[in-house]
Amino acid sequence: LLTPAQLSRLRVVLCSTRNPLNIGAAARAMTNFGFRELRIVTPYAPAFREARSAVGASHLLANAKQYDTVAEAVADGTLVVGTTAVRKRQLQHSLRRLEDGARLIRKRLSAGPVALLFGSEKFGLTNEELSHANWLIRIPTVEANISMNLGQAVAICLYELIRDPKAARLVEKAQSPSAAEIDRVTSMLLEALSLSGFLGRRHVADSKQRIRRLVRRLGIPARDSTIWLGMLRQILWKLNSDSNNVLGARD
Amino acid sequence: LLTPAQLSRLRVVLCSTRNPLNIGAAARAMTNFGFRELRIVTPYAPAFREARSAVGASHLLANAKQYDTVAEAVADGTLVVGTTAVRKRQLQHSLRRLEDGARLIRKRLSAGPVALLFGSEKFGLTNEELSHANWLIRIPTVEANISMNLGQAVAICLYELIRDPKAARLVEKAQSPSAAEIDRVTSMLLEALSLSGFLGRRHVADSKQRIRRLVRRLGIPARDSTIWLGMLRQILWKLNSDSNNVLGARD
């Protein structure tokens, strides 16, 4: 849904992050979803160095910019959104659930840069950091466990921004076999059931219809019809040769 | 959206996970979103021990069950869904985007247990592990970077299961001030503009209307109207006292 231009307009701003693994995780989620601009505000210096030098650290992380203040990091943003785990922090800002906030952010990304702020692992965004935000979003966690891992929180926010409510249309279904192939499977199964005596114990016409419906309900994928036919063919061969042997033995 | 009964029916099944941090991260995301049943299949044994003994390891992680085979771990599932980063693994299974797959999983959780499988960090689910799945989901990552961090992938899948498309209705807006308070702010601002000479340079009637609209467009939160009134009152006092002084000096 987001165009490359819109993706490039989001600034993920990590404030006071301590753990280098979290800086790396944020960068990784950004590359997974096509975002580009990571900004780090007064990181615990060794954490940033360590994250940057980590094995597999991305181009994105290497290009992350470091800022001394939130004001500088969000200066080009036409909208600044803070993230919080807390529900009612005296409501100095409007607080939206992520589902709704992401919708608004997507709209604003069409027009100009949007900064999305994440606070430190332990305390979240400070009041000073929050004062730069226009409004806040929260991920809808359960009341008893509101504190999320930072890397996971970043990943979920970015996912919500790129998710496509119309994705149902994009299902890649395993191809279905043709009706003719299904008919071949049905015929062979019927023959095997007949030879094995299964159909002999029932009224045949009705049973055949039932078996036909049973096979169609299986939903055999196209790629599997050949192997099913092969298995049935082998079973039929064995059933036929056994009954011939039995007949032969009677002679 | 999911009831406690539905939440309790999801089994998060980690197959061949190596990194204890990822087992811990999966457990943490589960507690964030209210899921309960974590199952571990043949984990790299030290990883599982380390994850369980980690500081802050949850009740959920302590109660995670260990299994030797995928078959045992998913035995009670009426639906088994695999996760994959790969787009077209020859389509042995139907492959759905997460948005669509989660919709189907939610439905099935009303009826019975559903197992959601995650593979190892390096290789994902093996073909053997995948053979237990009814169908697969993929998180809609960009083609160039399909490989996600395991803990982040688990968190995103669980979030998609609990997200509420109607969340827009649940916005907690900062309370707006009454029209009377807005009028007081407007009046004081007009007085300040008048005293400062700003309004003198324009046709007054039109300017007043403009200022009135300007103030309303600000969207001052209820909790802030008092401080705005205080600031304006102070500025008015200063403007008045200065002009008195000037008049006094002229006397």
Side-chain angles (χ1 to χ4, degrees):
Chain A
L1 274 164
L2 291 180
T3 64
Q6 289 168 328
L7 286 166
S8 74
R9 287 197 196 106
L10 187 81
R11 286 85 173 93
V12 173
V13 183
L14 302 184
C15 304
S16 315
T17 308
R18 301 282 295 208
N19 186 338
L21 291 176
N22 286 332
I23 299 176
R28 183 163 177 187
M30 290 179 70
T31 62
N32 285 141
F33 294 128
F35 296 97
R36 298 193 207 145
E37 185 110 6
L38 177 61
R39 299 181 175 182
I40 313 278
V41 181
T42 56
Y44 179 62
F48 191 37
R49 266 202 307 279
E50 202 180 317
R52 268 192 165 159
S53 63
V55 179
S58 61
H59 181 70
L60 186 147
L61 187 56
N63 286 310
K65 282 173 214 133
Q66 192 174 342
Y67 296 83
D68 290 330
T69 64
V70 175
E72 292 168 89
V74 305
D76 62 350
T78 54
L79 172 68
V80 180
V81 178
T83 55
T84 181
V86 179
R87 299 296 155 94
K88 299 242 173 194
R89 200 193 278 270
Q90 303 167 327
L91 281 187
Q92 306 210 17
H93 293 81
S94 286
L95 176 61
R96 293 182 166 87
R97 272 177 64 128
L98 174 60
E99 298 94 326
D100 185 47
R103 186 178 58 80
L104 298 175
I105 293 171
R106 271 196 302 270
K107 274 190 196 168
R108 295 294 292 269
L109 284 172
S110 308
V114 175
L116 186 54
L117 309 185
F118 294 88
S120 81
E121 293 89 339
K122 255 198 177 154
F123 308 109
L125 290 165
T126 64
N127 283 334
E128 206 288 316
E129 290 162 346
L130 280 170
S131 73
H132 295 273
N134 295 98
W135 40 266
L136 309 180
I137 52 175
R138 69 175 183 84
I139 295 173
T141 49
V142 297
E143 201 70 54
N145 291 287
I146 61 172
S147 170
M148 288 205 71
N149 166 274
L150 178 58
Q152 290 176 316
V154 172
I156 286 173
C157 289
L158 300 183
Y159 166 73
E160 178 65 42
L161 285 171
I162 64 92
R163 81 184 285 285
D164 181 359
K166 299 189 185 94
R169 297 181 191 165
L170 307 173
V171 180
E172 297 162 19
K173 288 227 174 184
Q175 222 188 329
S176 291
S178 68
E181 279 172 305
I182 294 289
D183 266 346
R184 266 201 297 281
V185 171
T186 310
S187 303
M188 282 193 173
L189 180 62
L190 283 169
E191 196 178 342
L193 294 175
S194 174
L195 281 170
S196 68
F198 180 91
L199 288 182
R201 289 186 282 126
R202 284 164 177 79
H203 176 60
V204 177
D206 178 50
S207 296
K208 275 190 178 170
Q209 288 173 21
R210 286 190 189 195
I211 302 297
R212 202 167 296 283
R213 287 196 300 269
L214 269 175
V215 172
R216 268 151 189 79
R217 282 201 298 270
L218 282 177
I220 300 172
R223 70 187 315 279
D224 295 343
S225 58
T226 309
I227 183 75
W228 281 112
L229 287 169
M231 289 189 286
L232 284 167
R233 194 173 291 118
Q234 181 64 27
I235 289 168
L236 281 176
W237 175 83
K238 184 63 177 165
L239 286 169
N240 278 315
S241 79
D242 283 353
S243 70
N244 285 343
N245 287 347
V246 171
L247 289 175
R250 278 188 191 157
D251 284 343
Chain B
L1 273 163
L2 290 181
T3 65
Q6 289 168 328
L7 287 165
S8 74
R9 288 197 194 107
L10 188 81
R11 287 84 173 92
V12 174
V13 183
L14 302 183
C15 304
S16 316
T17 309
R18 301 282 297 207
N19 186 338
L21 291 176
N22 287 332
I23 299 177
R28 182 163 178 186
M30 290 178 70
T31 61
N32 285 141
F33 294 127
F35 296 97
R36 298 194 206 144
E37 184 110 8
L38 177 61
R39 299 180 176 184
I40 313 277
V41 181
T42 56
Y44 179 62
F48 192 36
R49 266 203 306 279
E50 201 180 316
R52 270 192 164 160
S53 63
V55 178
S58 61
H59 182 70
L60 185 147
L61 188 56
N63 286 310
K65 282 174 215 131
Q66 194 174 342
Y67 296 84
D68 290 331
T69 64
V70 175
E72 293 168 88
V74 305
D76 62 349
T78 55
L79 172 67
V80 180
V81 178
T83 54
T84 181
V86 179
R87 299 297 154 95
K88 299 242 174 198
R89 199 191 279 269
Q90 302 165 325
L91 281 188
Q92 306 209 18
H93 293 80
S94 286
L95 176 62
R96 293 183 166 85
R97 271 178 66 129
L98 174 59
E99 298 93 325
D100 185 46
R103 186 178 57 80
L104 297 175
I105 292 172
R106 271 196 301 269
K107 275 191 196 169
R108 295 294 293 268
L109 284 171
S110 307
V114 175
L116 187 54
L117 309 184
F118 294 89
S120 82
E121 293 90 339
K122 253 198 177 152
F123 308 109
L125 290 164
T126 64
N127 283 333
E128 208 287 315
E129 291 162 346
L130 281 170
S131 72
H132 295 273
N134 295 98
W135 40 266
L136 309 180
I137 52 176
R138 68 176 184 83
I139 295 172
T141 49
V142 298
E143 201 69 55
N145 291 288
I146 61 171
S147 170
M148 286 205 72
N149 166 273
L150 178 57
Q152 290 176 316
V154 171
I156 286 172
C157 289
L158 299 183
Y159 167 73
E160 178 65 41
L161 284 172
I162 63 92
R163 81 185 283 284
D164 180 359
K166 300 187 184 94
R169 297 181 192 165
L170 306 173
V171 180
E172 297 162 19
K173 287 226 175 183
Q175 222 190 326
S176 291
S178 67
E181 280 172 307
I182 294 288
D183 266 347
R184 267 200 297 280
V185 171
T186 310
S187 302
M188 283 193 173
L189 180 61
L190 283 169
E191 196 178 341
L193 295 175
S194 173
L195 281 171
S196 67
F198 180 91
L199 288 181
R201 288 184 284 125
R202 286 163 176 78
H203 177 58
V204 177
D206 179 47
S207 297
K208 276 190 178 170
Q209 286 174 24
R210 287 190 187 195
I211 302 298
R212 202 167 297 282
R213 286 196 301 269
L214 269 175
V215 173
R216 269 150 190 80
R217 283 202 297 271
L218 282 177
I220 300 171
R223 72 187 313 280
D224 295 344
S225 59
T226 308
I227 183 75
W228 280 113
L229 286 169
M231 289 189 285
L232 284 166
R233 194 172 294 121
Q234 182 65 25
I235 290 168
L236 281 176
W237 175 84
K238 183 65 177 166
L239 287 169
N240 276 316
S241 78
D242 283 354
S243 73
N244 285 342
N245 289 344
V246 172
L247 288 176
R250 276 186 191 158
D251 281 344

